[in-house]
Amino acid sequence: MPGGWRGSVPRSLDKSHATLIKKSMRVVKMFSEKPLWLKREIVDYYPNHDVLVKMMAELRKMGLYRDEHQDFKEEMTRLRALRGKVKPKKGEGKRASKRK
């Protein structure tokens, strides 16, 4: 067999096979391209979320970034602690207090 037959679609002049050839060419084109997970423009479209979260936490510790949602959550837990609504530590719940 000749070496040039791979990756090519037989072209006929018959109009009844025109749609078949068009579909076959689409398949050949799809398989000749890189897969999506190897294309940098697709893989690197969004920033790396894990790295960003860790970086923002470090910046917050240094005082260079203000995370208002985290501030709000910490303030709510502080206010709950002032009201005495904190969760008991392990081994200090209702069941443990009944045994004593």
Side-chain angles (χ1 to χ4, degrees), residues 17-27:
H17 296 292
T19 58
L20 179 65
I21 290 173
K22 192 181 289 185
K23 288 181 182 178
S24 298
M25 286 305 293
R26 193 179 89 205
V27 171

Side-chain angles (χ1 to χ4, degrees), residues 25-72:
M25 286 305 293
R26 193 179 89 205
V27 171
V28 168
K29 183 182 171 200
M30 275 181 13
F31 280 108
S32 66
E33 292 177 354
K34 278 185 174 179
L36 292 178
W37 61 87
L38 293 178
K39 291 184 178 181
R40 286 189 65 85
E41 63 269 9
I42 291 175
V43 174
D44 296 336
Y45 186 77
Y46 291 108
N48 193 351
H49 184 69
D50 299 332
V51 173
L52 279 181
V53 168
K54 291 176 186 172
M55 182 183 68
M56 294 308 231
E58 285 296 316
L59 289 175
R60 184 170 181 266
K61 285 180 192 173
M62 290 185 232
L64 299 173
Y65 173 70
R66 185 82 180 240
D67 188 358
E68 293 183 6
H69 185 252
Q70 191 66 30
D71 292 345
F72 177 78

